[in-house]
Amino acid sequence: MHRSALVRLGFAAAAAALLVCGASATAARPRPPFPVTVTAANGKVTLRHKPHRIVSLSSTATEDLFAIGAGRQVVAVDQFSDYPKRAPRTKLSAISPNVEAIATYRPDLVVLAFDANNVVRALGKLHVPVLLQPAPKSLPGAYAQIRQLGVATGHRRGAAAVVAKLRKRIGSLLASVPKRARGRSVYHEISPDHYSATSSTFIGSIYRLFGLQNIADRAGSGYPQLSDEYIVAANPDLIVLADTTCCGQSAKTVAARPGWGSIEAVKRGAIVPVDDSIAARWGPRITTFVAAIARALRSTP
């Protein structure tokens, strides 16, 4: 072959090799984590940069953010976000949010559980990204919110680790309960005036995992208010008190209620006091609640 032809072939081979190497390097190069787009309850939300000034007006989201490793990015949380203790708690209201008060923290991400006062729209006018994460209906929904926060804050791995830990722990607790417990009835008390939670709620979905029959289901959907007569007639095998901190309820106060002494749960002492905030949230501490129910079911004949 002519020398010039060989030279041309050599250049062509080298160029091809460079193209292949370049393509391989491009394919192997990690994709930048931002911008990202997630779909929350308020629709698609795009974050162009990793947020460093997060305001959380959801006590559950606050717990999630710190659990996944995004705590240092949080500059303010609402008045009810009492866990973890190091969270920057303020007087910001989650129930009646004030856009001007939120804006003073110069947030680049706001997380909400409720769209009160049309706060999502108002913050949108200020070009502040907002994630609306209302209470889910089940554990998969709670896991999805944790993962969503991981994507939105740049902590995908941390979120995945939290979800994996929750799945494993809850699975273990469910497996620890004897099969004889399935089918037992439960009354979940949110307040001393007998507001409860049905199976259509997140907390009700936890009881479904144990195979328990929720006495509130026959009274409506969501969070119905039951009567003394209704509860006594339903005769639950298990009573869970989620009003111990707010209202000082205990096995003693329940047993002293007129007519309640005939309830099976009261006679057997199957009354479970739980921390109000743990029972009302769907974050990482839900395992504490699940553990309390599992323990009660294991110890009741």
mmCIF file of all heavy atoms in Angstrom, residues 199-225:
data_model
loop_
_atom_site.group_PDB
_atom_site.id
_atom_site.type_symbol
_atom_site.label_atom_id
_atom_site.label_comp_id
_atom_site.label_asym_id
_atom_site.label_seq_id
_atom_site.Cartn_x
_atom_site.Cartn_y
_atom_site.Cartn_z
ATOM 1 N N SER A 199 -59.862 3.623 58.518
ATOM 2 C CA SER A 199 -58.876 2.922 57.697
ATOM 3 C C SER A 199 -58.483 3.690 56.444
ATOM 4 O O SER A 199 -57.505 3.344 55.781
ATOM 5 C CB SER A 199 -59.414 1.542 57.297
ATOM 6 O OG SER A 199 -59.569 0.721 58.435
ATOM 7 N N SER A 200 -59.247 4.728 56.089
ATOM 8 C CA SER A 200 -58.916 5.523 54.905
ATOM 9 C C SER A 200 -57.817 6.535 55.165
ATOM 10 O O SER A 200 -57.342 7.196 54.246
ATOM 11 C CB SER A 200 -60.167 6.263 54.402
ATOM 12 O OG SER A 200 -60.602 7.236 55.351
ATOM 13 N N THR A 201 -57.385 6.656 56.418
ATOM 14 C CA THR A 201 -56.328 7.596 56.780
ATOM 15 C C THR A 201 -54.987 6.866 56.862
ATOM 16 O O THR A 201 -54.931 5.630 56.865
ATOM 17 C CB THR A 201 -56.620 8.243 58.138
ATOM 18 O OG1 THR A 201 -56.571 7.223 59.157
ATOM 19 C CG2 THR A 201 -58.003 8.880 58.151
ATOM 20 N N PHE A 202 -53.914 7.644 56.957
ATOM 21 C CA PHE A 202 -52.589 7.027 57.078
ATOM 22 C C PHE A 202 -52.500 6.179 58.340
ATOM 23 O O PHE A 202 -52.037 5.036 58.297
ATOM 24 C CB PHE A 202 -51.494 8.091 57.082
ATOM 25 C CG PHE A 202 -50.125 7.517 57.315
ATOM 26 C CD1 PHE A 202 -49.443 6.892 56.287
ATOM 27 C CD2 PHE A 202 -49.528 7.564 58.570
ATOM 28 C CE1 PHE A 202 -48.193 6.321 56.492
ATOM 29 C CE2 PHE A 202 -48.276 7.004 58.786
ATOM 30 C CZ PHE A 202 -47.610 6.387 57.742
ATOM 31 N N ILE A 203 -52.939 6.739 59.459
ATOM 32 C CA ILE A 203 -52.821 5.997 60.711
ATOM 33 C C ILE A 203 -53.670 4.730 60.658
ATOM 34 O O ILE A 203 -53.294 3.673 61.180
ATOM 35 C CB ILE A 203 -53.224 6.877 61.915
ATOM 36 C CG1 ILE A 203 -52.644 6.303 63.207
ATOM 37 C CG2 ILE A 203 -54.708 7.060 62.033
ATOM 38 C CD1 ILE A 203 -51.138 6.344 63.279
ATOM 39 N N GLY A 204 -54.833 4.808 59.983
ATOM 40 C CA GLY A 204 -55.672 3.629 59.836
ATOM 41 C C GLY A 204 -55.024 2.553 58.995
ATOM 42 O O GLY A 204 -55.249 1.358 59.207
ATOM 43 N N SER A 205 -54.180 2.981 58.046
ATOM 44 C CA SER A 205 -53.497 2.005 57.196
ATOM 45 C C SER A 205 -52.500 1.161 57.996
ATOM 46 O O SER A 205 -52.228 0.016 57.641
ATOM 47 C CB SER A 205 -52.768 2.719 56.048
ATOM 48 O OG SER A 205 -51.604 3.392 56.503
ATOM 49 N N ILE A 206 -51.982 1.718 59.069
ATOM 50 C CA ILE A 206 -51.061 0.965 59.927
ATOM 51 C C ILE A 206 -51.808 -0.183 60.610
ATOM 52 O O ILE A 206 -51.305 -1.314 60.706
ATOM 53 C CB ILE A 206 -50.416 1.884 60.974
ATOM 54 C CG1 ILE A 206 -49.637 3.019 60.299
ATOM 55 C CG2 ILE A 206 -49.492 1.081 61.895
ATOM 56 C CD1 ILE A 206 -48.518 2.563 59.402
ATOM 57 N N TYR A 207 -53.009 0.102 61.071
ATOM 58 C CA TYR A 207 -53.797 -0.958 61.702
ATOM 59 C C TYR A 207 -54.165 -2.045 60.693
ATOM 60 O O TYR A 207 -54.241 -3.233 61.048
ATOM 61 C CB TYR A 207 -55.060 -0.365 62.335
ATOM 62 C CG TYR A 207 -54.761 0.574 63.493
ATOM 63 C CD1 TYR A 207 -55.224 1.891 63.498
ATOM 64 C CD2 TYR A 207 -54.017 0.138 64.580
ATOM 65 C CE1 TYR A 207 -54.947 2.742 64.551
ATOM 66 C CE2 TYR A 207 -53.720 0.986 65.642
ATOM 67 C CZ TYR A 207 -54.197 2.283 65.618
ATOM 68 O OH TYR A 207 -53.896 3.129 66.657
ATOM 69 N N ARG A 208 -54.396 -1.649 59.456
ATOM 70 C CA ARG A 208 -54.702 -2.640 58.418
ATOM 71 C C ARG A 208 -53.532 -3.592 58.210
ATOM 72 O O ARG A 208 -53.726 -4.781 57.935
ATOM 73 C CB ARG A 208 -55.026 -1.948 57.089
ATOM 74 C CG ARG A 208 -56.363 -1.261 57.052
ATOM 75 C CD ARG A 208 -56.879 -1.101 55.613
ATOM 76 N NE ARG A 208 -55.854 -0.605 54.698
ATOM 77 C CZ ARG A 208 -55.643 0.674 54.443
ATOM 78 N NH1 ARG A 208 -56.374 1.600 55.046
ATOM 79 N NH2 ARG A 208 -54.712 1.055 53.589
ATOM 80 N N LEU A 209 -52.307 -3.080 58.331
ATOM 81 C CA LEU A 209 -51.133 -3.935 58.162
ATOM 82 C C LEU A 209 -51.122 -5.072 59.192
ATOM 83 O O LEU A 209 -50.653 -6.178 58.905
ATOM 84 C CB LEU A 209 -49.850 -3.109 58.299
ATOM 85 C CG LEU A 209 -49.564 -2.080 57.207
ATOM 86 C CD1 LEU A 209 -48.313 -1.283 57.552
ATOM 87 C CD2 LEU A 209 -49.390 -2.762 55.852
ATOM 88 N N PHE A 210 -51.650 -4.777 60.378
ATOM 89 C CA PHE A 210 -51.708 -5.791 61.435
ATOM 90 C C PHE A 210 -52.937 -6.687 61.306
ATOM 91 O O PHE A 210 -53.105 -7.626 62.077
ATOM 92 C CB PHE A 210 -51.725 -5.118 62.812
ATOM 93 C CG PHE A 210 -50.397 -4.581 63.258
ATOM 94 C CD1 PHE A 210 -50.133 -3.219 63.223
ATOM 95 C CD2 PHE A 210 -49.401 -5.434 63.715
ATOM 96 C CE1 PHE A 210 -48.910 -2.718 63.636
ATOM 97 C CE2 PHE A 210 -48.173 -4.945 64.144
ATOM 98 C CZ PHE A 210 -47.924 -3.575 64.100
ATOM 99 N N GLY A 211 -53.814 -6.372 60.356
ATOM 100 C CA GLY A 211 -55.029 -7.155 60.192
ATOM 101 C C GLY A 211 -56.082 -6.827 61.225
ATOM 102 O O GLY A 211 -56.969 -7.650 61.497
ATOM 103 N N LEU A 212 -56.037 -5.627 61.806
ATOM 104 C CA LEU A 212 -56.993 -5.236 62.831
ATOM 105 C C LEU A 212 -58.255 -4.634 62.211
ATOM 106 O O LEU A 212 -58.210 -4.041 61.139
ATOM 107 C CB LEU A 212 -56.358 -4.216 63.788
ATOM 108 C CG LEU A 212 -55.099 -4.682 64.529
ATOM 109 C CD1 LEU A 212 -54.581 -3.574 65.425
ATOM 110 C CD2 LEU A 212 -55.389 -5.939 65.346
ATOM 111 N N GLN A 213 -59.368 -4.772 62.922
ATOM 112 C CA GLN A 213 -60.638 -4.190 62.510
ATOM 113 C C GLN A 213 -60.823 -2.857 63.233
ATOM 114 O O GLN A 213 -60.860 -2.806 64.460
ATOM 115 C CB GLN A 213 -61.790 -5.145 62.848
ATOM 116 C CG GLN A 213 -61.684 -6.510 62.184
ATOM 117 C CD GLN A 213 -61.736 -6.413 60.674
ATOM 118 O OE1 GLN A 213 -62.559 -5.699 60.106
ATOM 119 N NE2 GLN A 213 -60.844 -7.136 60.010
ATOM 120 N N ASN A 214 -60.954 -1.795 62.479
ATOM 121 C CA ASN A 214 -61.059 -0.454 63.046
ATOM 122 C C ASN A 214 -62.529 -0.137 63.319
ATOM 123 O O ASN A 214 -63.342 -0.078 62.397
ATOM 124 C CB ASN A 214 -60.470 0.555 62.058
ATOM 125 C CG ASN A 214 -60.269 1.927 62.658
ATOM 126 O OD1 ASN A 214 -61.017 2.345 63.535
ATOM 127 N ND2 ASN A 214 -59.271 2.632 62.160
ATOM 128 N N ILE A 215 -62.883 0.116 64.574
ATOM 129 C CA ILE A 215 -64.292 0.339 64.907
ATOM 130 C C ILE A 215 -64.812 1.648 64.322
ATOM 131 O O ILE A 215 -66.025 1.817 64.157
ATOM 132 C CB ILE A 215 -64.538 0.314 66.426
ATOM 133 C CG1 ILE A 215 -63.931 1.550 67.101
ATOM 134 C CG2 ILE A 215 -64.010 -0.972 67.054
ATOM 135 C CD1 ILE A 215 -64.432 1.769 68.521
ATOM 136 N N ALA A 216 -63.920 2.583 63.966
ATOM 137 C CA ALA A 216 -64.361 3.866 63.412
ATOM 138 C C ALA A 216 -64.871 3.734 61.982
ATOM 139 O O ALA A 216 -65.577 4.629 61.492
ATOM 140 C CB ALA A 216 -63.220 4.879 63.470
ATOM 141 N N ASP A 217 -64.528 2.648 61.315
ATOM 142 C CA ASP A 217 -64.903 2.494 59.907
ATOM 143 C C ASP A 217 -66.420 2.491 59.701
ATOM 144 O O ASP A 217 -66.904 2.887 58.638
ATOM 145 C CB ASP A 217 -64.307 1.204 59.336
ATOM 146 C CG ASP A 217 -62.807 1.308 59.133
ATOM 147 O OD1 ASP A 217 -62.275 2.429 59.218
ATOM 148 O OD2 ASP A 217 -62.167 0.264 58.891
ATOM 149 N N ARG A 218 -67.149 2.038 60.697
ATOM 150 C CA ARG A 218 -68.607 1.988 60.563
ATOM 151 C C ARG A 218 -69.264 3.337 60.866
ATOM 152 O O ARG A 218 -70.485 3.481 60.717
ATOM 153 C CB ARG A 218 -69.186 0.911 61.501
ATOM 154 C CG ARG A 218 -68.680 -0.495 61.218
ATOM 155 C CD ARG A 218 -69.509 -1.541 61.953
ATOM 156 N NE ARG A 218 -69.505 -1.337 63.401
ATOM 157 C CZ ARG A 218 -68.591 -1.827 64.225
ATOM 158 N NH1 ARG A 218 -67.581 -2.549 63.742
ATOM 159 N NH2 ARG A 218 -68.666 -1.603 65.522
ATOM 160 N N ALA A 219 -68.450 4.313 61.272
ATOM 161 C CA ALA A 219 -68.999 5.618 61.666
ATOM 162 C C ALA A 219 -68.784 6.690 60.604
ATOM 163 O O ALA A 219 -69.241 7.818 60.763
ATOM 164 C CB ALA A 219 -68.369 6.063 62.986
ATOM 165 N N GLY A 220 -68.097 6.352 59.534
ATOM 166 C CA GLY A 220 -67.854 7.346 58.494
ATOM 167 C C GLY A 220 -66.481 7.153 57.880
ATOM 168 O O GLY A 220 -65.916 6.062 57.928
ATOM 169 N N SER A 221 -65.951 8.221 57.304
ATOM 170 C CA SER A 221 -64.621 8.174 56.698
ATOM 171 C C SER A 221 -63.777 9.303 57.267
ATOM 172 O O SER A 221 -64.302 10.250 57.867
ATOM 173 C CB SER A 221 -64.717 8.319 55.175
ATOM 174 O OG SER A 221 -65.309 9.565 54.841
ATOM 175 N N GLY A 222 -62.493 9.200 57.087
ATOM 176 C CA GLY A 222 -61.612 10.261 57.588
ATOM 177 C C GLY A 222 -61.460 10.210 59.089
ATOM 178 O O GLY A 222 -60.971 9.225 59.651
ATOM 179 N N TYR A 223 -61.913 11.263 59.741
ATOM 180 C CA TYR A 223 -61.718 11.392 61.188
ATOM 181 C C TYR A 223 -63.052 11.666 61.885
ATOM 182 O O TYR A 223 -63.328 12.793 62.317
ATOM 183 C CB TYR A 223 -60.723 12.511 61.482
ATOM 184 C CG TYR A 223 -59.382 12.309 60.818
ATOM 185 C CD1 TYR A 223 -59.126 12.837 59.558
ATOM 186 C CD2 TYR A 223 -58.379 11.574 61.451
ATOM 187 C CE1 TYR A 223 -57.900 12.636 58.928
ATOM 188 C CE2 TYR A 223 -57.155 11.368 60.833
ATOM 189 C CZ TYR A 223 -56.925 11.904 59.574
ATOM 190 O OH TYR A 223 -55.721 11.690 58.955
ATOM 191 N N PRO A 224 -63.915 10.664 62.015
ATOM 192 C CA PRO A 224 -65.228 10.881 62.629
ATOM 193 C C PRO A 224 -65.145 11.022 64.148
ATOM 194 O O PRO A 224 -64.200 10.540 64.785
ATOM 195 C CB PRO A 224 -65.984 9.611 62.248
ATOM 196 C CG PRO A 224 -64.913 8.568 62.168
ATOM 197 C CD PRO A 224 -63.716 9.275 61.597
ATOM 198 N N GLN A 225 -66.145 11.688 64.690
ATOM 199 C CA GLN A 225 -66.265 11.766 66.143
ATOM 200 C C GLN A 225 -67.225 10.678 66.601
ATOM 201 O O GLN A 225 -68.364 10.605 66.139
ATOM 202 C CB GLN A 225 -66.777 13.143 66.590
ATOM 203 C CG GLN A 225 -66.835 13.291 68.102
ATOM 204 C CD GLN A 225 -67.313 14.670 68.531
ATOM 205 O OE1 GLN A 225 -67.977 15.367 67.775
ATOM 206 N NE2 GLN A 225 -66.977 15.061 69.756
#
